[in-house]
Amino acid sequence: MELSRRQFFHTTTALAAGTTIPPAAGDLSGEQAGAPKIKRYKPLGKTGWKVGDISAGSGQSDPSILNHIFECGINLIDTGYQYTGHEELIGKVLPKWREKVFVVDKWDPPLLTPTVTKSALLEALDVSLKRLNTTYIDCMMLHSIGHPRYGGIERIQNPAIYEAWDEAKTLGKIRFTGASSHSVNLIREIEWGIDNNRFEVILVGANFLTQGLEPLLKKARARGVATIAMKTMTIYQSRLNIRALQNQNTNARQAVIKWILASDLFDTMVVRMPNFDQVAEYLAVSGSTSLTPRDEEYLDVLESAISTKYCRPGCDSCYGSCPREVPIWDILRYKMYYENYGDQKYAMERYQRIPEPNTAAACAGCSAPCSTACRYHIPVRERLLEAHSQLTFARP
Ligand code: SF4
Ligand code: SF4
């Protein structure tokens, strides 16, 4: 049974329908000047580590931001070969922080095939170690499992993966193993890994709009598997006027973060932190364990503004509904990168990788069975056509 956001939290306070949003109350710079730090550390599953309740994702372009992140007490960072240049950037500062920071890295889906060999995986690991300027990675993950475009569960059942992990552990090149997922088969494939004792850490797409992940997360925690949330921030630069949704204490983005912190289903969460202001803004709510009525109000407004636009990580409701095999969830995610994250180039490059017959060009004139299948009432066809016109600049 799925739980709605309101059912899920016992701490929430019901708000009357039609509540108006308070007016804007100035800039955040005063709060940022205080350089907030991590206020709460939690065990990372059974790894023996205690990590800050908020951790760093990618997005930095300068080593000084990484140094600042670690000086603020963040001690876990998520990276990967696929985040162009991010491993190398971390490598510039990592020697200084090596024993204090838990590094999560990943093997990419194109590498992870049912036939990839142990030596190919170990070779990729060595490339990442070199880029990171280190002799070991704290957790090596299988990236983006549950993604049908790259194949089925047989990809992660390839024994070569586990032989490579065992050998890398023996050689001291990795300490823990795990997987990340935000795609349609998230639950099925992450659960397989937990049931078969393959994953010590999981990194899953989750936020206040996702549903259905709670049983999986509870199972993971019961077995001592570390749980990390990603794709937490649905609204980075959305057209929604965040300024109009903030007061002197918290703003709407912080409420989104507090939702994860208050859920207590995650040991930590990774958030994209491209600049000093965002580090300060997010860390200002570290240590939160509940939502205030104001936070609930923000989430209600956000939900009503984006619920029928936002394709949820881990949702499989429309899977199989498209006769042309358009990867709906991928294209809508790239659209989010383009619109909300401001990562236009990355979004366009990703879209360009989709084979031409499966792009959203196929949606023109279609009767859109996908829209009927979407449990969140997203007008899928219209959103895909919008995405196609936004993302096709890079297509030759
Ligand atoms: S509009 Fe038609 S072609 Fe496009 S994703 Fe939906 S079902 Fe597929
Ligand atoms: S379009 Fe709707 S049904 Fe399809 S994956 Fe996204 S949220 Fe789920």
Side-chain angles (χ1 to χ4, degrees):
M1 191 180 86
E2 289 172 359
L3 301 175
S4 70
R5 177 160 59 84
R6 288 202 177 282
Q7 289 168 318
F8 183 47
F9 286 100
H10 302 295
T11 54
T12 56
T13 303
L15 291 168
T19 305
T20 54
I21 294 302
D27 196 272
L28 282 173
S29 53
E31 293 173 25
Q32 290 166 2
K37 295 189 184 304
I38 289 288
K39 297 180 196 70
R40 187 180 180 208
Y41 289 86
K42 296 162 72 176
L44 185 67
K46 290 197 289 195
T47 63
W49 275 73
K50 276 195 157 188
V51 296
D53 54 1
I54 298 174
S55 296
S58 61
Q60 307 82 30
S61 56
D62 190 299
S64 64
I65 299 174
L66 285 171
N67 276 323
H68 177 68
I69 282 171
F70 300 142
E71 281 158 6
C72 288
I74 288 175
N75 64 344
L76 183 147
I77 190 160
D78 171 45
T79 189
Y81 182 87
Q82 68 281 9
Y83 311 140
T84 312
H86 194 234
E87 288 177 322
E88 290 93 330
L89 191 73
I90 292 174
K92 290 186 178 167
V93 303
L94 193 57
K96 180 177 164 190
W97 298 99
R98 191 62 200 93
E99 291 306 315
K100 294 181 180 166
V101 172
F102 190 100
V103 177
V104 175
D105 206 317
K106 313 189 198 76
W107 282 325
D108 248 354
L111 177 67
L112 293 171
T113 65
T115 54
V116 68
T117 61
K118 180 179 81 169
S119 61
L121 292 167
L122 291 174
E123 207 175 295
L125 170 62
D126 285 341
V127 170
S128 287
L129 288 170
K130 195 170 176 195
R131 290 176 169 198
L132 285 164
N133 198 12
T134 184
T135 56
Y136 68 93
I137 287 166
D138 297 281
C139 181
M140 195 67 196
M141 286 193 169
L142 313 180
H143 183 47
S144 199
I145 69 170
H147 197 308
R149 182 144 57 96
Y150 299 108
I153 200 166
E154 66 280 359
R155 287 191 314 128
I156 65 166
Q157 291 172 335
N158 177 354
I161 292 171
Y162 306 103
E163 289 163 16
W165 273 351
D166 287 346
E167 187 165 323
K169 279 187 175 178
T170 304
L171 294 170
K173 293 183 177 182
I174 62 172
R175 295 187 169 174
F176 303 99
T177 59
S180 74
S181 183
H182 49 67
S183 204
V184 295
N185 292 321
L186 181 162
I187 293 176
R188 207 166 306 130
E189 297 198 12
I190 291 280
E191 190 158 43
W192 177 87
I194 293 171
D195 289 343
N196 289 280
N197 299 316
R198 297 299 194 187
F199 307 150
E200 295 160 295
V201 184
I202 59 171
L203 172 63
V204 297
N207 56 55
F208 75 106
L209 290 172
T210 53
Q211 294 181 6
L213 296 178
E214 294 82 8
L216 177 76
L217 292 164
K218 285 180 176 166
K219 182 184 218 179
R221 284 170 79 83
R223 296 190 180 199
V225 174
T227 54
I228 309 176
M230 65 171 171
K231 308 286 180 213
T232 49
M233 190 55 69
T234 54
I235 55 169
Y236 280 116
Q237 296 176 29
S238 71
R239 290 190 190 115
L240 206 62
N241 184 357
I242 300 300
R243 288 280 175 200
L245 296 177
Q246 70 182 38
N247 70 355
Q248 292 171 335
N249 299 313
T250 56
N251 65 35
R253 282 189 294 261
Q254 290 169 322
V256 171
I257 289 176
K258 286 175 75 178
W259 186 93
I260 293 284
L261 302 182
S263 78
D264 205 31
L265 283 172
F266 295 96
D267 300 333
T268 187
M269 57 188 285
V270 294
V271 194
R272 194 169 175 273
M273 293 182 181
N275 57 51
F276 294 98
D277 283 356
Q278 278 176 326
V279 177
E281 181 182 345
Y282 301 157
L283 291 196
V285 295
S286 171
S288 302
T289 55
S290 63
L291 298 170
T292 65
R294 177 60 56 82
D295 296 326
E296 279 288 330
E297 195 175 352
Y298 287 146
L299 296 181
D300 285 345
V301 171
L302 291 172
E303 186 166 5
S304 62
I306 63 176
S307 182
T308 55
K309 294 180 182 154
Y310 177 58
C311 179
R312 275 71 164 174
C315 175
D316 64 357
S317 291
C318 66
Y319 185 49
S321 68
C322 176
R324 295 172 180 85
E325 297 186 4
V326 172
I328 297 165
W329 45 90
D330 284 339
I331 298 174
L332 295 183
R333 193 172 73 257
Y334 302 156
K335 182 174 172 55
M336 181 180 72
Y337 294 155
Y338 184 97
E339 286 180 338
N340 295 2
Y341 290 19
D343 265 349
Q344 282 90 353
K345 185 165 177 275
Y346 180 75
M348 291 160 105
E349 283 170 357
R350 290 271 146 173
Y351 189 59
Q352 198 173 24
R353 294 183 194 180
I354 298 174
E356 185 75 40
N358 307 119
T359 67
C363 303
C366 176
S367 62
C370 54
S371 295
T372 317
C374 179
R375 63 195 293 187
Y376 300 105
H377 312 294
I378 295 172
V380 179
R381 178 176 170 272
E382 286 69 27
R383 297 285 291 165
L384 288 171
L385 285 169
E386 264 177 37
H388 185 67
S389 62
Q390 288 169 323
L391 302 173
T392 41
F393 275 100
R395 190 173 283 277

